[in-house]
Amino acid sequence: SQQGEEDPQALSIQEGENATMNCSYKTSINNLQWYRQNSGRGLVHLILIRSNEREKHSGRLRVTLDTSKKSSSLLITASRAADTASYFCAPSRGGGADGLTFGKGTHLIIQP
Amino acid sequence: DAGVIQSPRHEVTEMGQEVTLRCKPISGHDYLFWYRQTMMRGLELLIYFNNNVPIDDSGMPEDRFSAKMPNASFSTLKIQPSEPRDSAVYFCASMAYGGAGTGELFFGEGSRLTVL
């Protein structure tokens, strides 16, 4: 398995604004997952995008994948205080079957 | 389903003591993962099982760490003897593997270990 690198490490925005965070990885993948971790809690799966997909939506989340650049982005629109959390990407060749590994994440703070 | 259940949620122990962390995965899930999270090192994959068999334990830091999965509904992570640098939050996660390499992880709430 390989580890993604999230960027930026920290992001602070006003409530209602959009938040964008990025993920880069090194080798070819079959899919990439995004997870959220609220303070003191376990990670929660947000969305999975396959290597043959370029964009995927889920509610206020929009994920893009550019396999030529080995990068992905997560956009959260109309941010809310409850979106304050750390966000992690997990690129993978075999899904969780090859053991997902995580980077340090992007710590997002939504200011009221 | 109640989700992945971990116990204890908090453990404070003294250096040299044995620590046992427990995990009950979601019923029907065939993969189980143990992670450790610290501020310095982030989230580290320690070991994972498929159908109760350890697949990769290369992330286990030392021989002081051991993990077992005696059946599909229970796993333990043991540290003996414990050291202050083992202080961390330990997460268990489970997964039902789908076709075409998919599969999302479901995490427990973690066990926060403090070794004095």
Side-chain angles (χ1 to χ4, degrees):
Chain A
S1 62
Q2 65 172 306
Q3 183 173 298
E5 283 192 27
E6 298 87 356
D7 176 71
Q9 290 186 12
L11 179 62
S12 180
I13 62 173
Q14 295 296 123
E15 194 168 17
E17 294 180 340
N18 296 341
T20 299
M21 53 207 85
N22 304 295
C23 169
S24 60
Y25 56 92
K26 289 185 166 53
T27 63
S28 63
I29 60 172
N30 287 328
N31 64 68
L32 185 144
Q33 301 182 38
W34 284 91
Y35 288 78
R36 181 190 75 228
Q37 184 180 32
N38 291 94
S39 180
R41 308 294 297 274
L43 277 69
V44 174
H45 180 266
L46 293 176
I47 196 165
L48 179 151
I49 186 166
R50 294 182 171 79
S51 59
N52 61 354
E53 298 175 311
R54 291 295 167 259
E55 189 170 309
K56 199 163 182 180
H57 296 255
S58 177
R60 294 184 296 112
L61 305 180
R62 172 178 167 252
V63 168
T64 63
L65 180 64
D66 186 335
T67 54
S68 67
K69 295 182 179 177
K70 293 185 172 57
S71 67
S72 174
S73 68
L74 171 66
L75 168 69
I76 304 173
T77 60
S79 63
R80 305 168 181 169
D83 296 327
T84 294
S86 292
Y87 293 81
F88 300 85
C89 68
S92 174
R93 292 183 63 83
D98 58 356
L100 289 185
T101 55
F102 299 88
K104 294 287 182 68
T106 291
H107 185 48
L108 174 65
I109 296 174
I110 308 299
Q111 307 276 8
Chain B
D1 202 315
V4 175
I5 299 173
Q6 293 187 243
S7 65
R9 289 296 312 278
H10 301 273
E11 173 98 3
V12 180
T13 189
E14 293 191 347
M15 183 174 63
Q17 295 298 306
E18 178 179 293
V19 173
T20 299
L21 307 178
R22 297 173 177 80
C23 176
K24 177 177 166 53
I26 293 173
S27 177
H29 283 192
D30 52 353
Y31 280 81
L32 183 139
F33 306 81
W34 282 101
Y35 290 88
R36 175 174 72 174
Q37 187 174 38
T38 61
M39 289 291 290
M40 289 292 292
R41 301 173 70 91
L43 199 60
E44 302 171 275
L45 175 61
L46 301 178
I47 185 172
Y48 69 99
F49 297 82
N50 176 221
N51 291 324
N52 314 336
V53 176
I55 301 301
D56 185 352
D57 65 355
S58 60
M60 296 286 262
E62 299 172 35
D63 291 346
R64 298 184 296 107
F65 286 70
S66 62
K68 293 182 179 179
M69 192 164 186
N71 57 63
S73 58
F74 184 65
S75 177
T76 59
L77 177 67
K78 188 172 293 187
I79 308 172
Q80 166 63 17
S82 58
E83 296 182 3
R85 60 194 166 124
D86 301 331
S87 297
V89 181
Y90 291 81
F91 288 101
C92 175
S94 70
M95 180 189 78
Y97 183 66
T102 60
E104 63 180 88
L105 269 61
F106 291 81
F107 282 76
E109 295 291 18
S111 293
R112 181 176 294 277
L113 173 65
T114 302
V115 183
L116 304 174

